Amino acid sequence: MTDNLLRIIPLGGLGEVGKNMMAYEYGKNILLVDAGLMFPDNDMLGIDYIIPDFRYLQDKTDWVRGIVITHGHEDHTGALPHLVEQINAPVYATTLTRGLIESKLSRNGLLSKVQLKTIKAGDTAQIGPFQVEFFHVCHSIPDGVGLGITTPAGLVIHTGDYKFDHTPVDGWPTDYAKLAELASRNVLALLADSTNADRPGWTPSERVIDGALRDVFRASKGRIIIASFASLISRMQQVGNAAIDHGRKLAFVGMSMVENAKTARKLGYLEFPDDLVIPLDQALKLPANQVVIMGTGTQGEPTSIMGRLSTGTNRQFDILPEDTVILSSHPIPGNEESVYRTINRLFRRGANVIYENIAPVHVSGHASQEEMKLMLHLVRPKYFIPIHGELRHLRQHGEIARQVGIPEDHIRVIENGQVVEFKDGRMQLGERIPGGYVFVDGAGVGEIGPSVVREREALARDGFVLVTLTMDQDTGRLVDEPEIITRGFIYTRNGDDMLDEMRHMVRSAVERGETHPHDLEQAIKSFLFNKTKRRPMVFVATSQT
Amino acid sequence: MTDNLLRIIPLGGLGEVGKNMMAYEYGKNILLVDAGLMFPDNDMLGIDYIIPDFRYLQDKTDWVRGIVITHGHEDHTGALPHLVEQINAPVYATTLTRGLIESKLSRNGLLSKVQLKTIKAGDTAQIGPFQVEFFHVCHSIPDGVGLGITTPAGLVIHTGDYKFDHTPVDGWPTDYAKLAELASRNVLALLADSTNADRPGWTPSERVIDGALRDVFRASKGRIIIASFASLISRMQQVGNAAIDHGRKLAFVGMSMVENAKTARKLGYLEFPDDLVIPLDQALKLPANQVVIMGTGTQGEPTSIMGRLSTGTNRQFDILPEDTVILSSHPIPGNEESVYRTINRLFRRGANVIYENIAPVHVSGHASQEEMKLMLHLVRPKYFIPIHGELRHLRQHGEIARQVGIPEDHIRVIENGQVVEFKDGRMQLGERIPGGYVFVDGAGVGEIGPSVVREREALARDGFVLVTLTMDQDTGRLVDEPEIITRGFIYTRNGDDMLDEMRHMVRSAVERGETHPHDLEQAIKSFLFNKTKRRPMVFVATSQT
């Protein structure tokens, strides 16, 4: 261990979207920034979500001086319940972020175990050898912060998720002055959000949504049903404002949406007159043109309110012909298919559906290319490490840094698990540590590995065939016909020629003395492949009578 | 049957993207237009592709007077091998489309069975009572046509897939004059492509790609590897031109790409100097800066050339650090995840990857909103039926028609299986016929129904557990320990506490006399759900000794 060696250890968020988590290590001191989850790809079958692999911390749990959460989105907070079960260190968050974390930890029965510390933009906290200055950033949730981290090895800026919105809904722009002030102290390294690195120009201000909402509200004769993310607090404010202007009441549906709205209102992040928000059952009794209903389900999740409305399986109410549905969101990559399917189904039920392609009812919460250039120019870092994004975004962000004049060898595009070290003011690559996925499925963490997912893939492709044989102990002959069960294979029924043929084949094999289950399984596999060009899993259970 | 009743029967392409197929019926005469396939959604597990449900034609096969194929894309030709096995009628196609169909039918051993008739834009064919005038349309494949169909009930225009490109690569714009001439004869109904109905403005000309390719070619020091669709003949021409300008040779890889390039060249749709195209093995021996390799795999398919290059499993060559990879394509909805994963992997292997977001290396082949308005104004139809698109596109196209002045009750947004009838110059809804999906998987057509797919979903989610019991016939007791096999469930191994507990549970149940497989299965399901919050399929096979 050297005295001025700073190690930056990416545990999540580099080379992927989601499960953000970064460790800053100096001596025997670790500062953790964020602990997020990510949602599985379509081919990670049956997986609920994915958390960072933080095995690296296992034998260093007492090095961790603190955990800073930059803002209240799942991809920055979702792994916290898993993390705090192993690590006992104070968690620093702003008021709103803390409120959202508290709900999450309560649901997991962990709230009493965790020491939460409220910070606000402008504060400085000494966390071990790390002096952390919090500065405000705009994002699609209020009260987000970036970090200026002064270490004995130099000053590092970690932006968190940000955009430069000059007219944010909460009136609180990103803190340019603080960024400039930090820059004046010589920034060793900038770690900045890369999500939109392939989008040219500037991300539009959240304000543009006001106009689009106004147009839709003006044209709607029936109910207005709006789907958004439960964490998009400022979108709730905008919808509330539009509701007031058009004489409508607002009802929230869905646990997370209701809970977050309540938290945000209690903490002063939503300004609603007392009579604006009403319970859903009351809203359903009002004339259709006096109602706005806001819930989740923007990603086409079948069990969400929008998913259920689209399939006519919602308990409390159904789509009516004059309803207008607004999807105030953008499909997360991989969800396009289910999002568009939900939209089509809502149309089929008679709703008029307004989505991003039709009107600007959503904007991104992340900086686009010109904002990235502004950040780089404001901060003027010696070194640059793009974070938060797939590899293609990190590469593109690196390219942008090169364009604004950062020397190529001062830019490092790395992925999770690749440690970067700063020593004597110089950057070098360090060791590689585990940086993979930990699958969470049902009640279990890490019980599902790639081999189980591969089995699920095989089952999903061709299903399985189960053959049960009962043989006479003495003669070795079959006592009964072989019993065949198939699931997910092809449509079969008793009396099927193919099943008959298969029974015959199995019987002949047994009569020839080929009774070992493994051999029979191979024979059945060949038979089925020849007949159907499919490769189901095959199991033979034999027993002797 | 009435004398002047025209029935329009959508068998595919309405309310979905792909498997386009339309029937025009007058008396006992049917004209079929296109016979396409579509690729499955991500949750249609194990399905290879989907064809239209053309059961409607089953008892009317001798009514079919002809099959017109508008252009050579899979979503318009892919079901033809299945269709011609049941229907014996001449197939009309332009030279290039015919060439591509011939390759397809040959591969299926069907070429000799089918009577192919070559037509060209400008021709008129009398097909039963239908007088069909073919007019040229621009699309992302050359030699596409739209149809003016004169029936005893009136004139119908069927656009096929089209865009209004003023500077197409083959120099052959959409035939405005013919559209205007048809309009002068009073168009009863227009059926027009809706794919891009939610894209404002005009689709850019294919020419914009030339500039983007030039920039990339100029900047590339190593090999250039381009992925595109095998049917994008004009893209081959553009790449060939860029290769000539920059002193590179061009090699095609992949059966469909090589075959289509050969067909297009033979038929005069590609103009290449003799020494431009070389075999791959020869290309791999040239200096890197003298080579362009063009293949398929734009959708991230793991078995495609791009998929294999991205995972380092390609047989003939690997990605080299100075390679530039161009994805000249747009992800088909649902494929975003695999496309971006492939891009990330190619970056990881050291390639520089250029894709749509980074540079305009692809344009759509379909009309955008302003082109749709132009089509409507050119044709001035009495009635309008949007075709080719998901329901959200059809609805939006209907809205566009309303905006340009077509009365609302003269616009019909319908989905597959909803017959529309024209009688005495008036449109009305007809019967509903089957319009669903027919799954093709492995060797079989229609063997996989929704129930099999649901089983596959369940297996993919939680896998299965198989328990084999052998009992003593006389005592009803277990002779051996229960044998447990799991697949796709969770990671288990012998000696696992949970498996031990489960064996114990099963043993106790059997000892209490609960030996019926169904009861045991229920007990095991409850046990596993309590332990793991998962619901695998459970099977119990019992036998008596």
Side-chain angles (χ1 to χ4, degrees):
Chain A
M1 188 132 347
T2 15
D3 275 343
N4 68 345
L5 178 67
L6 171 69
R7 284 157 55 86
I8 296 185
I9 304 157
L11 297 167
L14 269 69
E16 76 205 359
V17 169
K19 74 171 183 65
N20 294 279
M21 187 169 185
M22 185 68 76
Y24 291 89
E25 182 181 296
Y26 187 83
K28 293 190 175 179
N29 302 281
I30 291 175
L31 169 70
L32 295 176
V33 179
D34 292 329
L37 59 73
M38 68 183 272
F39 294 101
D41 291 350
N42 282 316
D43 55 2
M44 296 175 187
L45 299 168
I47 304 298
D48 292 333
Y49 58 91
I50 296 159
I51 58 174
D53 183 344
F54 40 75
R55 267 180 293 171
Y56 175 77
L57 302 172
Q58 228 157 32
D59 55 354
K60 302 178 193 69
T61 52
D62 57 331
W63 293 16
V64 180
R65 305 282 161 251
I67 304 165
V68 173
I69 304 296
T70 57
H71 63 282
H73 279 157
E74 288 287 341
D75 59 337
H76 294 255
T77 67
L80 205 50
H82 300 283
L83 184 67
V84 298
E85 284 192 341
Q86 291 179 41
I87 304 233
N88 184 20
V91 176
Y92 297 79
T94 61
T95 306
L96 178 63
T97 308
R98 178 184 173 151
L100 298 170
I101 290 173
E102 280 179 346
S103 310
K104 176 185 298 292
L105 292 173
S106 301
R107 279 197 297 274
N108 289 276
L110 291 165
L111 186 54
S112 59
K113 278 187 62 177
V114 182
Q115 188 195 351
L116 287 163
K117 296 198 172 193
T118 305
I119 51 93
K120 61 180 191 298
D123 284 356
T124 301
Q126 191 69 37
I127 305 175
F130 306 100
Q131 190 201 55
V132 182
E133 293 165 81
F134 302 94
F135 57 90
H136 182 68
V137 291
C138 290
H139 185 43
S140 42
I141 187 169
D143 223 2
V145 287
L147 315 176
I149 308 170
T150 302
T151 76
L155 171 59
V156 176
I157 294 183
H158 182 113
T159 66
D161 293 4
Y162 81 97
K163 68 189 277 194
F164 286 123
D165 192 338
H166 296 300
T167 53
V169 171
D170 63 3
W172 194 2
T174 295
D175 193 344
Y176 304 89
K178 183 66 189 179
L179 284 166
E181 191 271 323
L182 288 168
S184 73
R185 289 190 258 150
N186 291 325
V187 175
L188 176 64
L190 169 68
L191 286 77
D193 176 8
S194 311
T195 311
N196 283 348
D198 57 10
R199 288 209 203 168
W202 283 69
T203 303
S205 169
E206 278 193 320
R207 281 286 170 215
V208 306
I209 295 167
D210 287 343
L213 285 180
R214 207 162 40 229
D215 291 346
V216 177
F217 271 67
R218 203 180 291 131
S220 297
K221 294 190 187 78
R223 298 182 302 189
I224 295 174
I225 301 168
I226 302 188
S228 190
F229 294 106
S231 60
L232 259 178
I233 310 294
S234 57
R235 203 62 44 88
M236 295 180 191
Q237 183 69 57
Q238 290 177 292
V239 170
N241 295 348
I244 296 168
D245 290 351
H246 292 82
R248 290 175 183 252
K249 299 291 180 191
L250 174 58
F252 292 107
V253 286
M255 195 187 69
S256 55
M257 186 69 97
V258 170
E259 215 172 72
N260 286 355
K262 206 195 273 178
T263 303
R265 230 176 135 185
K266 192 180 69 191
L267 300 175
Y269 292 88
L270 277 178
E271 287 184 26
F272 285 161
D274 282 341
D275 62 342
L276 175 66
V277 178
I278 58 174
L280 179 62
D281 53 355
Q282 208 173 314
L284 294 175
K285 287 179 200 139
L286 286 177
N289 64 358
Q290 294 174 24
V291 179
V292 182
I293 297 168
M294 188 166 186
T296 54
T298 59
Q299 301 302 308
E301 311 90 323
T303 57
S304 70
I305 174 84
M306 289 301 144
R308 294 196 310 266
L309 284 173
S310 77
T311 52
T313 55
N314 190 44
R315 213 162 35 82
Q316 295 138 310
F317 65 102
D318 283 315
I319 289 290
L320 301 173
E322 295 230 302
D323 284 347
T324 300
V325 176
I326 303 174
L327 292 189
S328 182
S329 60
H330 181 71
I332 295 170
N335 291 349
E336 291 83 357
E337 205 169 74
S338 56
V339 170
Y340 292 135
R341 186 167 6 179
T342 303
I343 292 173
N344 289 330
R345 286 177 174 158
L346 289 167
F347 269 124
R348 201 168 291 136
R349 296 196 164 266
N352 183 26
V353 189
I354 313 286
Y355 55 106
E356 205 184 14
N357 309 31
I358 303 299
V361 287
H362 181 70
V363 293
S364 171
H366 298 272
S368 296
Q369 290 177 350
E370 295 306 308
E371 290 156 278
M372 293 175 174
K373 292 174 190 167
L374 176 57
M375 178 62 87
L376 285 155
H377 276 310
L378 264 173
V379 169
R380 296 192 309 272
K382 185 168 175 191
Y383 293 103
F384 175 63
I385 300 174
I387 60 171
H388 200 279
E390 297 172 34
L391 185 54
R392 65 195 173 101
H393 303 124
L394 305 181
R395 288 287 295 251
Q396 189 61 23
H397 203 179
E399 172 62 23
I400 289 166
R402 206 188 53 74
Q403 284 169 13
V404 302
I406 303 208
E408 201 141 351
D409 58 350
H410 284 211
I411 300 165
R412 276 287 182 207
V413 175
I414 54 168
E415 291 191 88
N416 294 331
Q418 174 61 60
V419 177
V420 173
E421 299 180 339
F422 289 90
K423 202 187 149 185
D424 303 326
R426 293 175 63 171
M427 176 168 68
Q428 62 194 37
L429 286 185
E431 63 182 317
R432 282 207 65 108
I433 59 150
Y437 292 167
V438 175
F439 292 150
V440 183
D441 168 16
V445 179
E447 292 173 336
I448 311 289
S451 66
V452 173
V453 172
R454 269 196 302 275
E455 289 170 2
R456 289 179 179 176
E457 272 170 26
L459 287 168
R461 202 162 43 236
D462 288 328
F464 73 89
V465 173
L466 169 61
V467 180
T468 314
L469 304 176
T470 313
M471 284 177 282
D472 185 289
Q473 197 164 281
D474 300 321
T475 62
R477 292 201 155 190
L478 284 171
V479 175
D480 267 326
E481 278 290 287
E483 199 189 317
I484 301 173
I485 293 173
T486 74
R487 288 291 185 281
F489 174 47
I490 55 174
Y491 179 69
T492 55
R493 56 187 186 286
N494 278 326
D496 243 333
D497 286 352
M498 197 187 62
L499 292 192
D500 280 348
E501 234 182 288
M502 184 170 144
R503 263 187 286 265
H504 179 76
M505 188 274 289
V506 171
R507 221 163 33 223
S508 311
V510 172
E511 277 162 19
R512 285 196 307 274
E514 294 161 13
T515 57
H516 194 284
H518 180 78
D519 297 340
L520 283 172
E521 284 165 6
Q522 290 308 317
I524 294 169
K525 279 182 192 170
S526 306
F527 172 85
L528 291 173
F529 183 75
N530 281 335
K531 287 285 171 188
T532 67
K533 299 282 171 275
R534 295 186 180 87
R535 301 181 191 279
M537 283 194 191
V538 173
F539 297 91
V540 173
T542 61
S543 63
Q544 312 228 318
T545 281
Chain B
M1 189 127 352
T2 16
D3 274 343
N4 67 346
L5 178 67
L6 171 70
R7 286 157 53 86
I8 297 186
I9 303 157
L11 297 168
L14 269 68
E16 76 205 359
V17 169
K19 73 172 185 65
N20 294 280
M21 187 168 185
M22 185 69 77
Y24 292 89
E25 182 181 296
Y26 187 84
K28 293 190 177 179
N29 302 281
I30 291 176
L31 168 71
L32 295 176
V33 180
D34 292 328
L37 59 75
M38 69 184 269
F39 293 101
D41 292 350
N42 281 315
D43 55 1
M44 296 174 185
L45 300 168
I47 304 297
D48 292 333
Y49 59 89
I50 296 159
I51 59 173
D53 182 345
F54 41 75
R55 267 180 292 170
Y56 176 78
L57 302 173
Q58 226 157 34
D59 55 355
K60 302 178 191 69
T61 51
D62 57 329
W63 294 15
V64 180
R65 304 282 162 253
I67 304 165
V68 173
I69 304 295
T70 56
H71 63 282
H73 280 157
E74 288 287 342
D75 59 336
H76 294 254
T77 65
L80 204 50
H82 300 282
L83 184 68
V84 298
E85 285 192 339
Q86 291 179 40
I87 303 233
N88 183 20
V91 175
Y92 298 78
T94 60
T95 306
L96 178 64
T97 308
R98 178 183 174 152
L100 297 170
I101 290 173
E102 280 178 347
S103 309
K104 177 185 297 295
L105 292 173
S106 301
R107 277 197 298 274
N108 289 275
L110 291 164
L111 187 55
S112 60
K113 279 187 63 176
V114 182
Q115 188 194 350
L116 286 164
K117 296 199 172 194
T118 304
I119 50 93
K120 61 179 190 298
D123 283 356
T124 301
Q126 191 70 38
I127 306 176
F130 307 101
Q131 188 202 58
V132 182
E133 292 164 83
F134 302 94
F135 57 89
H136 181 69
V137 290
C138 291
H139 185 43
S140 42
I141 187 170
D143 222 3
V145 288
L147 315 176
I149 309 171
T150 302
T151 76
L155 170 60
V156 176
I157 293 184
H158 181 114
T159 66
D161 294 2
Y162 79 98
K163 68 189 278 192
F164 285 123
D165 192 338
H166 297 298
T167 52
V169 171
D170 64 4
W172 193 4
T174 296
D175 193 344
Y176 304 89
K178 182 67 189 179
L179 284 166
E181 190 270 322
L182 289 167
S184 72
R185 290 189 258 150
N186 292 326
V187 175
L188 176 65
L190 169 68
L191 285 77
D193 176 8
S194 311
T195 310
N196 283 347
D198 57 9
R199 287 208 202 171
W202 282 69
T203 302
S205 168
E206 278 192 321
R207 280 287 171 215
V208 306
I209 295 167
D210 287 342
L213 284 180
R214 205 162 41 229
D215 291 346
V216 177
F217 272 67
R218 203 179 292 130
S220 297
K221 295 191 187 79
R223 298 182 301 189
I224 294 174
I225 302 168
I226 302 189
S228 192
F229 295 106
S231 59
L232 260 178
I233 309 295
S234 57
R235 203 62 42 88
M236 295 180 192
Q237 184 69 57
Q238 289 178 293
V239 169
N241 295 348
I244 296 167
D245 289 351
H246 291 82
R248 290 175 183 252
K249 299 293 180 192
L250 174 58
F252 292 107
V253 286
M255 195 187 70
S256 55
M257 186 68 95
V258 170
E259 214 171 74
N260 286 356
K262 205 195 271 175
T263 302
R265 232 178 132 183
K266 192 180 69 192
L267 300 174
Y269 292 88
L270 276 177
E271 288 184 26
F272 286 161
D274 283 340
D275 62 342
L276 176 67
V277 179
I278 58 174
L280 179 62
D281 52 355
Q282 206 171 313
L284 294 175
K285 286 179 201 139
L286 285 178
N289 64 357
Q290 294 175 23
V291 179
V292 182
I293 297 169
M294 190 167 186
T296 55
T298 60
Q299 301 301 309
E301 311 92 322
T303 56
S304 69
I305 173 83
M306 288 302 143
R308 293 197 311 266
L309 284 174
S310 78
T311 52
T313 54
N314 190 44
R315 214 164 32 85
Q316 294 137 309
F317 65 102
D318 283 315
I319 289 291
L320 301 174
E322 296 231 299
D323 284 348
T324 299
V325 175
I326 304 175
L327 293 189
S328 183
S329 60
H330 180 70
I332 294 170
N335 291 351
E336 291 83 355
E337 206 170 72
S338 57
V339 170
Y340 292 134
R341 188 169 359 182
T342 303
I343 291 173
N344 290 330
R345 285 177 175 158
L346 289 167
F347 268 125
R348 200 168 293 136
R349 295 196 166 267
N352 184 27
V353 189
I354 313 287
Y355 56 105
E356 206 185 14
N357 309 29
I358 302 299
V361 287
H362 181 69
V363 294
S364 170
H366 299 271
S368 297
Q369 291 178 349
E370 296 307 308
E371 289 156 278
M372 292 175 173
K373 292 174 191 168
L374 176 57
M375 178 62 85
L376 285 155
H377 276 309
L378 264 175
V379 169
R380 296 191 310 272
K382 185 169 174 191
Y383 292 102
F384 175 62
I385 300 174
I387 59 170
H388 200 279
E390 297 172 35
L391 184 53
R392 63 194 175 101
H393 302 125
L394 305 181
R395 287 288 293 255
Q396 190 61 25
H397 203 179
E399 173 61 24
I400 289 166
R402 205 188 53 74
Q403 285 170 14
V404 303
I406 301 205
E408 199 141 350
D409 58 350
H410 284 212
I411 300 166
R412 278 284 183 209
V413 175
I414 53 168
E415 292 190 88
N416 293 332
Q418 174 61 60
V419 177
V420 173
E421 298 180 341
F422 289 91
K423 201 189 150 182
D424 302 327
R426 293 175 62 172
M427 174 168 69
Q428 62 193 36
L429 286 186
E431 65 183 311
R432 280 209 65 109
I433 59 148
Y437 292 166
V438 174
F439 292 149
V440 182
D441 168 17
V445 179
E447 292 173 336
I448 311 289
S451 68
V452 173
V453 172
R454 269 197 301 275
E455 289 171 359
R456 289 179 180 177
E457 271 170 27
L459 288 168
R461 203 162 43 235
D462 289 328
F464 73 86
V465 173
L466 168 62
V467 181
T468 315
L469 304 176
T470 313
M471 283 176 282
D472 185 287
Q473 198 165 281
D474 302 320
T475 63
R477 293 203 156 187
L478 285 170
V479 175
D480 267 326
E481 278 290 287
E483 199 190 317
I484 302 173
I485 292 173
T486 75
R487 288 291 185 278
F489 175 46
I490 56 174
Y491 180 68
T492 54
R493 55 187 186 287
N494 277 328
D496 244 334
D497 285 352
M498 198 188 63
L499 291 191
D500 280 348
E501 236 182 288
M502 183 171 146
R503 263 186 286 262
H504 179 77
M505 188 274 289
V506 171
R507 222 164 32 222
S508 310
V510 171
E511 276 161 20
R512 285 196 307 275
E514 295 162 12
T515 55
H516 194 284
H518 179 75
D519 298 339
L520 282 174
E521 283 165 7
Q522 290 308 317
I524 293 170
K525 278 182 191 169
S526 306
F527 171 85
L528 291 174
F529 183 73
N530 281 335
K531 287 284 171 189
T532 66
K533 300 283 172 278
R534 295 187 179 87
R535 302 180 190 279
M537 284 194 188
V538 174
F539 297 91
V540 173
T542 62
S543 63
Q544 313 227 318
T545 281

